[in-house]
Amino acid sequence: MAEDEKAPAARQIITDYAQSHFRYFRTTEGTVYAQRNGHPVARPIRSQGTTGSHRQELMVGLYRDGHGVFNGTALKEALDLIEALALTEDVQPTHIRVAPGFDGATWLDLGRDDGRSVRIHPTGWDVRIPDPREVCWRRTQLTGELPLPAKDTNGKGIDLLLRLCNFANAESECLALAWLIGCLEPSVPVPAPFLTGPQGAGKSTGGRMLVRVIEGMTGDLRRAPRDEENLITAVAAGWVTALDNLSHLPPDLSDLMCCVVTGAESIKRALFTDGDVVRSRYRRPLLLTGIDVGVIRPDLAERLLPLRLERPRVRRTEAELWTEYAQILPVVLGSLLDLTVQVRATEADIPTDLRMADFAHLCAQLDTAVSLGALAAYRASLDDLNDDVIEGDLLAQTVLTHAAGLEPGAEVRMTSSQWLHCLTDLYSGQECRPLPKGWPTTGKVLSDRLKRLQPTLAARGVLVDWGRTTERTSKRSTARPGCSSCCSGAKPPCNRRAATAAPSSRPDSGGTTTDTTPFFFLRKGTLRHPRHQHPTNGT
């Protein structure tokens, strides 16, 4: 047979073999995956990764089934045709470690070669190989293997795990347990545990133990990446992302962590193309460790879960500790699955006053199931984080000092520039002490800072809002939205003439004089968290 006649025959053999032994589909991002019949693990057909590409899988299958060895040209042409055909098939997502299933179930990938996974349902859990059309697992170098969970543990695995961790109190223990349960639910965004404590408290060890319950014994902590692209790459390749020994959170990293916890999308240009792009959606459980990260931004504080550890009284060697942990991991995983089933079968009211309402609802379900006080502990942790935000922000402290002199229910309204002058005079005092670095220099900067601090101040009974006194009546020009704030309480320690300044009046294009003064107002209300009485809010 001539050489040009052998090539079409080789392509046809490869194509027929591939279509009879594999299922091909595409994701919403347009990536084509191959899934061996009856096996839940899917591989992108263009992958050349070290975890095993579909090209390698296809070559090995052809050789073992007696079809021979084919050159790269025949394989490439066959895969090009298969990819084009797969682009017309139905869309199906791929998942790492945790996936939603049919009938309200979720799946946990054990990372095993045989594809066995755990199906979690409110009626119970069991180990089985999922239907490939229900779950498609995607695996990377970060996907470790989990042991088969033990049955009928009677909850002793939870006690074994907590005994190895050095949590300082019962509140931290129940919040860590709630976080582990949340990691098994792909649709619930969970706050990021921040393991803190003195030197030698075992923060890194405790973080590894929590991570390895979900990611297996190969799961580990890593240093914070230097840029956004590296963090997104690490987040997309695994389920739980754990960052170790943080000492400082720059604004960019803080904002990116907020996106990782609650979900976001990254877009970059596709390689070797002029106009196409690659979309990367991510929402992953995040875990942090460190003694102190300095000033915490308010938006990140609402997404953190502080877990406090203490120094152990008796030290153990690493080898002894991890040998015991590996032995108890099947029991720990089985107890966690038992508790997860119990929690999901429980009904509880959804707390509507907390930002992470899904996690707060999970805490309420956990309390209903086993009465651990998780929801109260979560509220207390948020209250403590509010204190940390206030203690690290001199502007917030100054606003609270101003509000301390107001009568409950009173309201003060000024423009942003007037508030800047008022708060600056209050901070400087009669001693005219110098302003700190980062103090607002314009009314616009002040308004942006107050908007970011709004939830934190509201938790201390100081309500911040903004708007305009009236709108312009001109059809030719529209008033630019302004901002304002007001404080309620006793008389503020600033110039009352500024607070009662006459509204600006100017003629518009239609000849009508209207009031368009932008304002901020502060009102003194009630504490969102009555457990805590802040010393500077006067309540």
Side-chain angles (χ1 to χ4, degrees):
M1 184 182 294
E3 187 68 26
D4 57 347
E5 295 178 355
K6 293 181 180 179
R11 292 195 298 270
Q12 190 63 43
I13 292 173
I14 297 172
T15 303
D16 292 342
Y17 180 87
Q19 291 181 329
S20 62
H21 289 78
F22 296 90
R23 184 176 74 93
Y24 295 91
F25 62 93
R26 63 188 176 96
T27 63
T28 54
E29 292 79 16
T31 304
V32 176
Y33 280 81
Q35 193 175 32
R36 184 179 290 275
N37 292 339
H39 201 278
V41 177
R43 294 183 174 91
I45 67 173
R46 292 297 181 184
S47 172
Q48 299 293 330
T50 57
T51 54
S53 66
H54 176 58
R55 179 190 179 96
Q56 297 168 340
E57 188 179 34
L58 190 59
M59 290 175 63
V60 172
L62 287 165
Y63 176 75
R64 289 180 175 176
D65 291 346
H67 294 284
V69 180
F70 299 89
N71 60 36
T73 301
L75 280 169
K76 179 181 182 304
E77 292 176 351
L79 288 176
D80 287 343
L81 174 60
I82 291 171
E83 182 179 23
L85 293 174
L87 290 175
T88 63
E89 299 294 331
D90 294 336
V91 174
Q92 183 171 353
T94 59
H95 304 276
I96 290 182
R97 189 62 75 183
V98 178
F102 298 155
D103 300 326
T106 59
W107 290 85
L108 174 67
D109 183 15
L110 296 177
R112 299 169 59 91
D113 293 336
D114 57 12
R116 283 196 287 178
S117 307
V118 179
R119 182 180 183 269
I120 310 170
H121 192 268
T123 58
W125 65 269
D126 60 338
V127 179
R128 64 173 74 172
I129 298 178
D131 185 346
R133 294 189 178 275
E134 181 179 3
V135 174
C136 292
W137 294 125
R138 180 170 65 90
R139 293 178 178 174
T140 68
Q141 283 282 329
L142 302 181
T143 306
E145 182 176 343
L146 283 167
L148 291 176
K151 285 279 190 178
D152 301 325
T153 63
N154 295 322
K156 63 181 180 180
I158 302 299
D159 295 332
L160 293 174
L161 174 65
L162 296 178
R163 182 175 58 84
L164 293 180
C165 299
N166 304 318
F167 290 118
N169 47 52
E171 289 77 9
S172 295
E173 291 180 347
C174 67
L175 290 178
L177 189 58
W179 179 78
L180 287 173
I181 297 174
C183 288
L184 299 177
E185 176 55 67
S187 62
V188 174
V190 293
F194 181 35
L195 278 66
T196 63
Q199 294 182 9
K203 297 180 291 297
S204 298
T205 301
R208 288 188 181 94
M209 288 183 178
L210 295 179
V211 170
R212 290 179 180 180
V213 175
I214 307 296
E215 295 288 3
M217 291 301 295
T218 59
D220 209 341
L221 311 182
R222 59 181 69 100
R223 292 290 296 161
R226 295 183 178 180
D227 53 40
E228 176 180 351
E229 184 175 357
N230 288 333
L231 180 57
I232 292 177
T233 301
V235 166
W239 180 239
V240 179
T241 302
L243 305 180
D244 189 29
N245 198 23
L246 297 177
S247 58
H248 174 62
L249 286 178
D252 291 343
L253 182 59
S254 177
D255 293 340
L256 185 56
M257 286 180 178
C258 294
C259 294
V260 171
V261 170
T262 53
E265 181 180 72
S266 175
I267 297 178
K268 64 179 180 179
R269 184 176 68 86
L271 297 177
F272 311 113
T273 63
D274 293 328
D276 205 358
V277 297
V278 176
R279 301 171 61 184
S280 177
R281 295 187 181 94
Y282 53 88
R283 184 181 66 198
R284 298 285 193 272
L286 189 66
L287 183 141
L288 315 173
T289 73
I291 297 177
D292 187 17
V293 294
V295 178
I296 300 177
R297 291 160 68 92
D299 50 353
L300 180 60
E302 290 188 317
R303 295 173 171 90
L304 287 182
L305 194 67
L307 306 179
R308 309 201 179 275
L309 284 77
E310 59 184 4
R311 292 172 63 93
R313 297 179 181 179
V314 179
R315 296 287 178 176
R316 304 174 64 184
T317 64
E318 289 280 327
E320 178 186 358
L321 183 66
W322 290 113
T323 298
E324 180 181 352
Y325 181 86
Q327 293 174 351
I328 69 171
L329 185 55
V331 182
V332 172
L333 185 56
S335 297
L336 179 64
L337 292 172
D338 290 338
L339 184 58
T340 301
V341 169
Q342 187 178 356
V343 168
R344 293 187 182 182
T346 303
E347 297 292 337
D349 294 333
I350 301 176
T352 58
D353 61 324
L354 299 178
R355 179 167 186 171
M356 304 288 289
D358 295 278
F359 183 74
H361 183 220
L362 189 151
C363 291
Q365 290 177 297
L366 182 60
D367 290 342
T368 303
V370 292
S371 302
L372 289 181
L375 183 58
Y378 182 44
R379 291 184 183 276
S381 69
L382 292 176
D383 199 38
D384 292 339
L385 285 170
N386 274 330
D387 281 346
D388 293 341
V389 172
I390 292 172
E391 291 173 2
D393 195 305
L394 292 175
L395 178 62
Q397 297 175 24
T398 306
V399 172
L400 291 175
T401 300
H402 175 83
L406 302 180
E407 295 293 338
E411 176 179 304
V412 177
R413 178 177 301 190
M414 286 187 280
T415 66
S416 301
S417 299
Q418 292 169 346
W419 272 114
L420 177 62
H421 178 72
C422 171
L423 296 176
T424 300
D425 287 348
L426 179 61
Y427 177 83
S428 299
Q430 296 180 353
E431 301 84 4
C432 295
R433 57 176 174 174
L435 297 177
K437 182 180 180 181
W439 187 265
T441 55
T442 65
K444 171 60 177 172
V445 176
L446 175 66
S447 67
D448 293 341
R449 289 278 301 276
L450 288 177
K451 290 175 183 178
R452 184 177 290 272
L453 288 170
Q454 185 183 26
T456 302
L457 296 174
R460 296 293 171 261
V462 179
L463 309 180
V464 179
D465 206 347
W466 56 90
R468 286 186 178 274
T469 52
T470 59
E471 296 181 356
R472 295 189 185 185
T473 58
S474 172
K475 297 182 179 180
R476 292 179 55 188
S477 61
T478 303
R480 178 178 178 273
C483 44
S484 65
S485 60
C486 68
C487 247
S488 55
K491 295 182 178 180
C494 63
N495 190 352
R496 296 298 295 177
R497 293 175 59 189
T500 58
S504 61
S505 300
R506 54 183 175 184
D508 63 7
S509 57
T512 303
T513 301
T514 56
D515 180 6
T516 60
T517 304
F519 64 88
F520 256 106
F521 68 86
L522 269 67
R523 182 186 303 111
K524 191 170 184 180
T526 58
L527 291 179
R528 180 181 299 174
H529 306 295
R531 177 190 73 86
H532 184 80
Q533 301 291 330
H534 195 273
T536 60
N537 63 7
T539 60

Short mmCIF file of all heavy atoms in Angstrom, two decimals, residues 375-420:
data_model
loop_
_atom_site.label_atom_id
_atom_site.label_comp_id
_atom_site.label_asym_id
_atom_site.label_seq_id
_atom_site.Cartn_x
_atom_site.Cartn_y
_atom_site.Cartn_z
N LEU A 375 -23.03 29.42 65.46
CA LEU A 375 -23.49 30.72 64.96
C LEU A 375 -23.10 31.84 65.92
O LEU A 375 -22.65 32.91 65.49
CB LEU A 375 -25.01 30.70 64.75
CG LEU A 375 -25.62 31.97 64.18
CD1 LEU A 375 -24.98 32.31 62.83
CD2 LEU A 375 -27.14 31.83 64.02
N ALA A 376 -23.24 31.62 67.21
CA ALA A 376 -22.81 32.64 68.19
C ALA A 376 -21.31 32.86 68.11
O ALA A 376 -20.83 34.00 68.21
CB ALA A 376 -23.22 32.21 69.59
N ALA A 377 -20.55 31.79 67.92
CA ALA A 377 -19.10 31.93 67.78
C ALA A 377 -18.74 32.69 66.52
O ALA A 377 -17.80 33.49 66.51
CB ALA A 377 -18.44 30.56 67.78
N TYR A 378 -19.49 32.47 65.44
CA TYR A 378 -19.23 33.19 64.19
C TYR A 378 -19.53 34.68 64.35
O TYR A 378 -18.76 35.53 63.89
CB TYR A 378 -20.08 32.58 63.07
CG TYR A 378 -19.86 33.20 61.72
CD1 TYR A 378 -18.57 33.50 61.26
CD2 TYR A 378 -20.93 33.51 60.90
CE1 TYR A 378 -18.38 34.08 60.01
CE2 TYR A 378 -20.75 34.09 59.66
CZ TYR A 378 -19.47 34.37 59.22
OH TYR A 378 -19.29 34.95 57.98
N ARG A 379 -20.63 35.00 65.01
CA ARG A 379 -20.94 36.42 65.25
C ARG A 379 -19.86 37.07 66.12
O ARG A 379 -19.45 38.20 65.86
CB ARG A 379 -22.31 36.54 65.92
CG ARG A 379 -23.49 36.18 65.05
CD ARG A 379 -24.79 36.43 65.80
NE ARG A 379 -25.96 36.04 65.03
CZ ARG A 379 -26.55 36.80 64.11
NH1 ARG A 379 -26.07 38.01 63.87
NH2 ARG A 379 -27.61 36.38 63.46
N ALA A 380 -19.41 36.36 67.14
CA ALA A 380 -18.38 36.91 68.01
C ALA A 380 -17.07 37.12 67.26
O ALA A 380 -16.36 38.11 67.48
CB ALA A 380 -18.15 35.99 69.21
N SER A 381 -16.75 36.22 66.34
CA SER A 381 -15.51 36.38 65.56
C SER A 381 -15.59 37.60 64.65
O SER A 381 -14.60 38.33 64.49
CB SER A 381 -15.24 35.11 64.74
OG SER A 381 -16.20 34.96 63.70
N LEU A 382 -16.76 37.83 64.06
CA LEU A 382 -16.92 39.03 63.23
C LEU A 382 -16.81 40.29 64.06
O LEU A 382 -16.26 41.31 63.61
CB LEU A 382 -18.27 38.99 62.51
CG LEU A 382 -18.44 37.92 61.43
CD1 LEU A 382 -19.87 37.94 60.88
CD2 LEU A 382 -17.44 38.13 60.31
N ASP A 383 -17.33 40.24 65.27
CA ASP A 383 -17.24 41.39 66.16
C ASP A 383 -15.78 41.69 66.52
O ASP A 383 -15.36 42.85 66.55
CB ASP A 383 -18.06 41.12 67.42
CG ASP A 383 -18.40 42.38 68.17
OD1 ASP A 383 -18.69 43.40 67.52
OD2 ASP A 383 -18.39 42.35 69.41
N ASP A 384 -15.02 40.64 66.78
CA ASP A 384 -13.60 40.84 67.08
C ASP A 384 -12.84 41.39 65.88
O ASP A 384 -11.93 42.22 66.03
CB ASP A 384 -12.97 39.51 67.53
CG ASP A 384 -13.51 39.05 68.87
OD1 ASP A 384 -14.02 39.91 69.62
OD2 ASP A 384 -13.43 37.84 69.16
N LEU A 385 -13.20 40.93 64.69
CA LEU A 385 -12.55 41.45 63.49
C LEU A 385 -12.89 42.92 63.27
O LEU A 385 -12.05 43.69 62.78
CB LEU A 385 -12.97 40.62 62.28
CG LEU A 385 -12.32 39.24 62.16
CD1 LEU A 385 -12.98 38.43 61.07
CD2 LEU A 385 -10.82 39.37 61.90
N ASN A 386 -14.12 43.33 63.63
CA ASN A 386 -14.45 44.75 63.56
C ASN A 386 -13.54 45.56 64.46
O ASN A 386 -13.10 46.67 64.11
CB ASN A 386 -15.91 44.97 63.95
CG ASN A 386 -16.85 44.81 62.78
OD1 ASN A 386 -16.49 45.08 61.64
ND2 ASN A 386 -18.05 44.35 63.05
N ASP A 387 -13.25 45.03 65.64
CA ASP A 387 -12.32 45.71 66.53
C ASP A 387 -10.95 45.85 65.89
O ASP A 387 -10.31 46.90 65.99
CB ASP A 387 -12.19 44.94 67.85
CG ASP A 387 -13.36 45.20 68.79
OD1 ASP A 387 -14.09 46.17 68.54
OD2 ASP A 387 -13.51 44.43 69.75
N ASP A 388 -10.48 44.78 65.23
CA ASP A 388 -9.17 44.83 64.58
C ASP A 388 -9.14 45.88 63.48
O ASP A 388 -8.15 46.60 63.31
CB ASP A 388 -8.82 43.45 64.00
CG ASP A 388 -8.60 42.42 65.09
OD1 ASP A 388 -8.35 42.82 66.24
OD2 ASP A 388 -8.68 41.21 64.78
N VAL A 389 -10.24 45.96 62.71
CA VAL A 389 -10.30 46.97 61.64
C VAL A 389 -10.26 48.37 62.23
O VAL A 389 -9.53 49.25 61.74
CB VAL A 389 -11.56 46.77 60.78
CG1 VAL A 389 -11.74 47.92 59.80
CG2 VAL A 389 -11.48 45.45 60.03
N ILE A 390 -11.03 48.60 63.29
CA ILE A 390 -11.08 49.93 63.90
C ILE A 390 -9.74 50.31 64.52
O ILE A 390 -9.27 51.44 64.39
CB ILE A 390 -12.22 49.98 64.95
CG1 ILE A 390 -13.57 49.87 64.25
CG2 ILE A 390 -12.15 51.26 65.77
CD1 ILE A 390 -14.74 49.71 65.19
N GLU A 391 -9.12 49.34 65.20
CA GLU A 391 -7.83 49.64 65.84
C GLU A 391 -6.73 49.92 64.83
O GLU A 391 -5.76 50.59 65.17
CB GLU A 391 -7.43 48.46 66.74
CG GLU A 391 -8.31 48.30 67.97
CD GLU A 391 -7.98 47.04 68.74
OE1 GLU A 391 -7.06 46.32 68.32
OE2 GLU A 391 -8.66 46.77 69.75
N GLY A 392 -6.89 49.44 63.61
CA GLY A 392 -5.89 49.70 62.59
C GLY A 392 -6.21 50.87 61.68
O GLY A 392 -5.47 51.12 60.73
N ASP A 393 -7.31 51.57 61.94
CA ASP A 393 -7.73 52.67 61.06
C ASP A 393 -8.01 53.89 61.92
O ASP A 393 -9.00 53.96 62.65
CB ASP A 393 -8.98 52.27 60.27
CG ASP A 393 -9.24 53.19 59.10
OD1 ASP A 393 -9.34 54.42 59.32
OD2 ASP A 393 -9.35 52.70 57.95
N LEU A 394 -7.14 54.89 61.84
CA LEU A 394 -7.30 56.10 62.63
C LEU A 394 -8.50 56.91 62.21
O LEU A 394 -9.12 57.60 63.04
CB LEU A 394 -6.03 56.96 62.53
CG LEU A 394 -4.77 56.37 63.19
CD1 LEU A 394 -3.56 57.25 62.93
CD2 LEU A 394 -4.98 56.21 64.70
N LEU A 395 -8.87 56.83 60.94
CA LEU A 395 -10.06 57.56 60.49
C LEU A 395 -11.31 56.99 61.15
O LEU A 395 -12.17 57.73 61.62
CB LEU A 395 -10.18 57.49 58.97
CG LEU A 395 -11.42 58.18 58.37
CD1 LEU A 395 -11.42 59.67 58.68
CD2 LEU A 395 -11.51 57.93 56.87
N ALA A 396 -11.41 55.66 61.21
CA ALA A 396 -12.56 55.04 61.87
C ALA A 396 -12.61 55.42 63.35
O ALA A 396 -13.69 55.70 63.88
CB ALA A 396 -12.49 53.52 61.71
N GLN A 397 -11.46 55.44 64.01
CA GLN A 397 -11.43 55.83 65.41
C GLN A 397 -11.89 57.27 65.59
O GLN A 397 -12.61 57.60 66.53
CB GLN A 397 -10.02 55.65 65.96
CG GLN A 397 -9.52 54.21 65.96
CD GLN A 397 -8.09 54.10 66.41
OE1 GLN A 397 -7.57 54.96 67.12
NE2 GLN A 397 -7.42 53.03 65.99
N THR A 398 -11.49 58.15 64.67
CA THR A 398 -11.89 59.55 64.77
C THR A 398 -13.39 59.72 64.56
O THR A 398 -14.05 60.50 65.26
CB THR A 398 -11.11 60.40 63.74
OG1 THR A 398 -9.71 60.18 63.90
CG2 THR A 398 -11.41 61.87 63.91
N VAL A 399 -13.96 58.98 63.59
CA VAL A 399 -15.41 59.05 63.37
C VAL A 399 -16.16 58.57 64.60
O VAL A 399 -17.16 59.18 65.02
CB VAL A 399 -15.79 58.21 62.13
CG1 VAL A 399 -17.31 58.12 62.00
CG2 VAL A 399 -15.19 58.82 60.87
N LEU A 400 -15.70 57.50 65.24
CA LEU A 400 -16.35 57.00 66.45
C LEU A 400 -16.22 57.99 67.60
O LEU A 400 -17.14 58.14 68.42
CB LEU A 400 -15.77 55.65 66.84
CG LEU A 400 -16.10 54.48 65.90
CD1 LEU A 400 -15.37 53.23 66.33
CD2 LEU A 400 -17.60 54.23 65.86
N THR A 401 -15.07 58.66 67.68
CA THR A 401 -14.91 59.69 68.71
C THR A 401 -15.90 60.83 68.48
O THR A 401 -16.50 61.36 69.43
CB THR A 401 -13.48 60.22 68.69
OG1 THR A 401 -12.58 59.14 68.93
CG2 THR A 401 -13.28 61.29 69.74
N HIS A 402 -16.06 61.21 67.23
CA HIS A 402 -17.04 62.26 66.90
C HIS A 402 -18.46 61.81 67.26
O HIS A 402 -19.24 62.57 67.84
CB HIS A 402 -16.95 62.58 65.41
CG HIS A 402 -17.98 63.57 64.94
ND1 HIS A 402 -17.83 64.93 65.08
CD2 HIS A 402 -19.18 63.39 64.36
CE1 HIS A 402 -18.89 65.55 64.58
NE2 HIS A 402 -19.73 64.63 64.13
N ALA A 403 -18.79 60.54 66.94
CA ALA A 403 -20.14 60.06 67.21
C ALA A 403 -20.41 59.89 68.70
O ALA A 403 -21.57 59.89 69.12
CB ALA A 403 -20.36 58.72 66.50
N ALA A 404 -19.34 59.74 69.49
CA ALA A 404 -19.53 59.55 70.93
C ALA A 404 -20.19 60.76 71.58
O ALA A 404 -20.82 60.64 72.63
CB ALA A 404 -18.20 59.26 71.61
N GLY A 405 -20.06 61.94 70.95
CA GLY A 405 -20.66 63.15 71.52
C GLY A 405 -22.05 63.43 71.02
O GLY A 405 -22.59 64.51 71.28
N LEU A 406 -22.66 62.49 70.30
CA LEU A 406 -23.99 62.71 69.74
C LEU A 406 -25.03 61.97 70.58
O LEU A 406 -24.78 60.92 71.16
CB LEU A 406 -24.05 62.20 68.30
CG LEU A 406 -23.05 62.82 67.32
CD1 LEU A 406 -23.25 62.20 65.95
CD2 LEU A 406 -23.18 64.32 67.25
N GLU A 407 -26.22 62.54 70.59
CA GLU A 407 -27.35 61.90 71.25
C GLU A 407 -27.86 60.76 70.36
O GLU A 407 -27.83 60.86 69.14
CB GLU A 407 -28.48 62.90 71.49
CG GLU A 407 -28.12 64.02 72.46
CD GLU A 407 -27.92 63.50 73.87
OE1 GLU A 407 -28.47 62.40 74.17
OE2 GLU A 407 -27.23 64.16 74.67
N PRO A 408 -28.31 59.66 70.94
CA PRO A 408 -28.85 58.56 70.14
C PRO A 408 -29.98 59.03 69.24
O PRO A 408 -30.90 59.72 69.68
CB PRO A 408 -29.35 57.55 71.19
CG PRO A 408 -28.51 57.85 72.40
CD PRO A 408 -28.27 59.32 72.38
N GLY A 409 -29.90 58.68 67.97
CA GLY A 409 -30.91 59.07 66.99
C GLY A 409 -30.63 60.39 66.32
O GLY A 409 -31.30 60.73 65.34
N ALA A 410 -29.65 61.18 66.82
CA ALA A 410 -29.34 62.47 66.20
C ALA A 410 -28.61 62.26 64.89
O ALA A 410 -28.00 61.22 64.64
CB ALA A 410 -28.51 63.31 67.15
N GLU A 411 -28.65 63.27 64.04
CA GLU A 411 -28.06 63.18 62.71
C GLU A 411 -27.33 64.47 62.38
O GLU A 411 -27.83 65.56 62.68
CB GLU A 411 -29.17 62.92 61.68
CG GLU A 411 -28.70 62.90 60.24
CD GLU A 411 -29.85 62.62 59.27
OE1 GLU A 411 -30.50 61.57 59.43
OE2 GLU A 411 -30.09 63.44 58.37
N VAL A 412 -26.14 64.32 61.81
CA VAL A 412 -25.35 65.47 61.38
C VAL A 412 -25.08 65.32 59.90
O VAL A 412 -24.65 64.25 59.45
CB VAL A 412 -24.02 65.58 62.16
CG1 VAL A 412 -23.20 66.75 61.64
CG2 VAL A 412 -24.29 65.73 63.64
N ARG A 413 -25.30 66.38 59.15
CA ARG A 413 -25.16 66.33 57.69
C ARG A 413 -24.20 67.42 57.24
O ARG A 413 -24.37 68.59 57.59
CB ARG A 413 -26.53 66.51 57.04
CG ARG A 413 -26.51 66.52 55.53
CD ARG A 413 -27.90 66.63 54.96
NE ARG A 413 -28.75 65.51 55.40
CZ ARG A 413 -29.95 65.25 54.90
NH1 ARG A 413 -30.45 66.04 53.96
NH2 ARG A 413 -30.65 64.22 55.36
N MET A 414 -23.18 67.03 56.48
CA MET A 414 -22.20 67.96 55.93
C MET A 414 -21.71 67.45 54.59
O MET A 414 -21.86 66.26 54.27
CB MET A 414 -21.01 68.12 56.88
CG MET A 414 -21.28 68.93 58.13
SD MET A 414 -19.77 69.24 59.08
CE MET A 414 -19.62 67.67 59.94
N THR A 415 -21.10 68.32 53.83
CA THR A 415 -20.45 67.89 52.59
C THR A 415 -19.18 67.15 52.92
O THR A 415 -18.67 67.20 54.05
CB THR A 415 -20.15 69.09 51.69
OG1 THR A 415 -19.17 69.91 52.34
CG2 THR A 415 -21.40 69.91 51.41
N SER A 416 -18.63 66.46 51.93
CA SER A 416 -17.41 65.69 52.15
C SER A 416 -16.26 66.59 52.58
O SER A 416 -15.48 66.25 53.48
CB SER A 416 -17.04 64.93 50.87
OG SER A 416 -18.06 64.06 50.49
N SER A 417 -16.14 67.76 51.95
CA SER A 417 -15.07 68.68 52.31
C SER A 417 -15.23 69.20 53.72
O SER A 417 -14.25 69.36 54.47
CB SER A 417 -15.02 69.85 51.31
OG SER A 417 -14.77 69.38 50.00
N GLN A 418 -16.48 69.48 54.11
CA GLN A 418 -16.71 69.94 55.47
C GLN A 418 -16.40 68.84 56.49
O GLN A 418 -15.84 69.10 57.56
CB GLN A 418 -18.17 70.40 55.61
CG GLN A 418 -18.46 71.67 54.81
CD GLN A 418 -19.95 71.96 54.73
OE1 GLN A 418 -20.78 71.09 55.03
NE2 GLN A 418 -20.30 73.17 54.31
N TRP A 419 -16.75 67.60 56.17
CA TRP A 419 -16.42 66.50 57.06
C TRP A 419 -14.91 66.31 57.17
O TRP A 419 -14.39 66.00 58.25
CB TRP A 419 -17.05 65.21 56.55
CG TRP A 419 -18.45 64.99 57.06
CD1 TRP A 419 -19.60 64.97 56.34
CD2 TRP A 419 -18.84 64.77 58.41
NE1 TRP A 419 -20.68 64.77 57.15
CE2 TRP A 419 -20.23 64.64 58.44
CE3 TRP A 419 -18.13 64.69 59.61
CZ2 TRP A 419 -20.95 64.41 59.61
CZ3 TRP A 419 -18.85 64.46 60.79
CH2 TRP A 419 -20.23 64.32 60.79
N LEU A 420 -14.21 66.47 56.07
CA LEU A 420 -12.75 66.35 56.11
C LEU A 420 -12.16 67.40 57.04
O LEU A 420 -11.28 67.09 57.87
CB LEU A 420 -12.18 66.50 54.70
CG LEU A 420 -10.66 66.47 54.60
CD1 LEU A 420 -10.11 65.14 55.09
CD2 LEU A 420 -10.21 66.74 53.17
#
